[in-house]
Amino acid sequence: MSTRHLLPCTACGKSVPVSPSQAGGAVTCECGARLDVPRLGEMRNLPADESVPPQAAAWSFRNGVLSAGLLIAGALAAGAGWFAAVEPAPPAPPDAAARTESVQRQLDAMPPAQLFQLYTEIYKPLIDRGFQEFKSPEDVATLRRIDQCRLYRNVLVGAAGAVVVATLVLVGVAPK
Ligand SMILES: [Zn+2]
């Protein structure tokens, strides 16, 4: 606690702010007069310097950092929210029953040679690799957009978190 007091100048009458650390020493007034600063015990009898609280500058710096940090973090979080909002719905899962039925109908209508070709060219790789291969270009594009939206969203959320941490660190190390 470093409350400053006002020491009246004996020459010009102006008040010179003095801090407890200057107790017992001397200060020079604006007018050039050298004034003896009273000891700590006597300094309490002087009027307190209310005009410039010594903590004001630091407090406003901390407040500024805090407001700016929260503002930036808020903007980044809003951006993340936007990407979450525009993320397209995942493509509808394929209708397995309808597909099986359609495949069955096509198979019934096919001559054996074509059937064998179909099996080697399409169904064998499909069985080997799994049905995931069977995506329409639209589904692939949608899935890519979803991935992008999630990537941007995660980056923004990460950045917002980093800004919050940086703000707290700055406020923590700021002079009190
Ligand atoms: Zn003076």
Side-chain angles (χ1 to χ4, degrees), residues 9 11-14 29-33:
C9 176
C12 70
K14 276 188 185 168
C29 176
E30 282 175 39
C31 70

Side-chain angles (χ1 to χ4, degrees), residues 103 107 118-134:
V103 166
L107 290 180
L118 189 76
Y119 171 76
T120 52
E121 282 178 7
I122 296 174
Y123 286 99
K124 185 133 194 314
L126 208 60
I127 290 163
D128 291 345
R129 277 181 254 156
F131 270 85
Q132 284 91 329
E133 293 294 314
F134 220 77

Side-chain angles (χ1 to χ4, degrees), residues 8-118:
C9 176
T10 48
C12 70
K14 276 188 185 168
S15 292
V16 182
V18 288
S19 66
S21 61
Q22 295 169 297
V27 287
T28 308
C29 176
E30 282 175 39
C31 70
R34 193 175 157 83
L35 306 171
D36 289 330
V37 181
R39 290 204 200 98
L40 211 55
E42 298 157 33
M43 195 185 273
R44 291 202 196 98
N45 300 327
L46 294 171
D49 183 8
E50 311 273 6
S51 58
V52 186
Q55 282 185 37
W59 185 84
S60 70
F61 172 75
R62 288 156 62 89
N63 230 32
V65 166
L66 198 63
S67 322
L70 291 180
L71 206 68
I72 294 168
L76 290 170
W82 186 78
F83 276 112
V86 298
E87 182 185 307
D95 188 344
R99 180 181 288 167
T100 307
E101 198 192 334
S102 144
V103 166
Q104 193 61 50
R105 220 181 302 119
Q106 284 170 31
L107 290 180
D108 286 347
M110 273 180 192
Q114 211 181 332
L115 266 179
F116 184 72
Q117 196 190 359
L118 189 76

